[in-house]
Amino acid sequence: MSWLILYRGSLSSCNYGCDYCPFAKTKNTRAELAKDAQELEQFVAWVKSRKEKIGILFTPWGEGLIRKYYQAAMTELSHLPNVTKVTIQTNLTCSTKWMEQVNKEKFALWTTFHPTQTSIEKFAHKCQELDHLNIKYSAGFVAFKEDISILEALRQAINPAVYVWANAYKRIPNYYTKEEIERIEQVDPLFRYNTQYHASLGESCRAGNTTFSVDGDGNMTRCHFIKESIGNIYESDLSQVLKPTPCTNATCGCHIGYVHLDKLNLAATYENSILERIPKEEFWRKTN
Ligand code: SF4
Ligand code: SF4
């Protein structure tokens, strides 16, 4: 049995100040951070106790990797025999020195560049540190129309062997022209998947069966987008909880959700790097 787990604990703070984000320049109290650390420790112990093969994507509200306890937890998880992958969404502002200790076969990063918060040069410099450490990662950001040239510059600035993804701004229908989509596809050939809310009601999705979301208290939902509780990893018999169930939402528009939608067949595109968003080379490098 193999599971892919999205973990989001009670952390809710960030060192960056993106103006659209509720966590911009927010701080947790010492007590809140201690609670988050304790939750994470309990989660790591649970993973250690399981027989299943487990891949983990941390999707914190805010920035986790500036916290030493996230660094320690990820390092430990990367060395566990039943862990297939440990990865996190990060703005890459943390130091990289600690990554010397991770198991590089199983550790990877989903990095996001924030054009309003740092420069391409600084971000590319951090990417070079990852390259020197042999850490696998993807990099990208939300490609607003006015930022397409920044996306192209990011592509030029970092290692050509690293996949650069672009998220689509979807709140305004038909926001992009055909030409803009084609231009973005020169950087990210998989961009078109992200421009849509995929019809998902009644569709077969691995969320709730082989992949699920967990919060700091162990409460499970099938994915981040359907809030109905399906159990608790510390209390439930997961063999009773996890089963194939059709999606109950009308659409699924976020990469961390629709990659599990069977009809899109994206498991074949990403294989065992689905959590850190690194497609197999044949799906993106040929056009670069
Ligand atoms: S880096 Fe991410 S979490 Fe932090 S303020 Fe920006 S969007 Fe929010
Ligand atoms: S299609 Fe999206 S919303 Fe529906 S169950 Fe899967 S991940 Fe959740």
Side-chain angles (χ1 to χ4, degrees), residues 49-207:
S49 74
R50 298 300 307 196
K51 299 269 182 293
E52 294 80 6
K53 294 196 177 315
I54 299 178
I56 302 145
L57 167 62
F58 290 104
T59 59
W61 290 133
E63 179 57 34
L65 278 195
I66 52 172
R67 307 289 167 196
K68 289 240 168 8
Y69 59 89
Y70 266 92
Q71 299 174 7
M74 291 190 71
T75 304
E76 183 175 358
L77 287 166
S78 75
H79 289 284
L80 296 182
N82 66 324
V83 167
T84 53
K85 184 65 56 75
V86 57
T87 184
I88 187 168
Q89 294 176 324
T90 176
N91 62 20
L92 203 57
T93 48
C94 65
S95 84
T96 53
K97 177 90 181 133
W98 62 276
M99 294 179 203
E100 288 171 4
Q101 307 304 319
V102 305
N103 176 351
K104 291 166 188 174
E105 295 300 312
K106 297 182 179 183
F107 178 91
L109 297 174
W110 167 322
T111 73
T112 303
F113 172 61
H114 293 84
T116 62
Q117 303 297 303
T118 189
S119 65
I120 291 216
E121 291 70 28
K122 279 190 186 150
F123 186 80
H125 183 73
K126 296 297 282 194
C127 291
Q128 274 170 17
E129 290 180 18
L130 298 181
D131 294 336
H132 288 139
L133 287 166
N134 217 10
I135 299 291
K136 293 183 208 70
Y137 62 101
S138 64
F141 66 99
V142 181
F144 292 101
K145 282 168 181 278
E146 59 274 21
D147 290 343
I148 298 176
S149 57
I150 300 177
L151 183 74
E152 291 163 341
L154 176 68
R155 172 65 286 171
Q156 290 303 315
I158 68 173
N159 183 347
V162 169
Y163 171 65
V164 172
W165 50 265
N167 273 353
Y169 181 69
K170 294 194 273 293
R171 285 193 200 153
I172 301 174
N174 304 316
Y175 173 72
Y176 296 99
T177 63
K178 181 172 166 286
E179 290 70 30
E180 285 164 344
I181 290 179
E182 286 170 357
R183 203 173 142 198
I184 295 170
E185 281 178 325
Q186 291 301 310
V187 174
D188 177 7
L190 297 167
F191 176 64
R192 219 169 273 249
Y193 284 105
N194 200 265
T195 59
Q196 306 169 41
Y197 292 101
H198 300 275
S200 58
L201 187 64
E203 295 286 348
S204 169
C205 178
R206 296 185 295 283

Side-chain angles (χ1 to χ4, degrees), residues 32-62:
E32 287 166 343
L33 289 175
K35 179 174 183 289
D36 187 49
Q38 185 275 323
E39 291 168 352
L40 190 54
E41 199 178 315
Q42 188 183 13
F43 177 67
V44 173
W46 176 82
V47 172
K48 225 188 258 187
S49 74
R50 298 300 307 196
K51 299 269 182 293
E52 294 80 6
K53 294 196 177 315
I54 299 178
I56 302 145
L57 167 62
F58 290 104
T59 59
W61 290 133

Side-chain angles (χ1 to χ4, degrees), residues 14-18 20-25 61-63 91 114 117:
C14 189
N15 53 339
Y16 268 180
C18 308
Y20 55 86
C21 178
F23 309 105
K25 292 285 180 201
W61 290 133
E63 179 57 34
N91 62 20
H114 293 84
Q117 303 297 303

Side-chain angles (χ1 to χ4, degrees), residues 200 205-207 222-226 246-249 251-252 256-258 260-261:
S200 58
C205 178
R206 296 185 295 283
R222 61 183 303 181
C223 62
H224 279 354
F225 315 103
I226 297 177
C247 177
T248 52
N249 271 9
T251 61
C252 190
I256 58 174
Y258 67 65
H260 303 299
L261 201 46

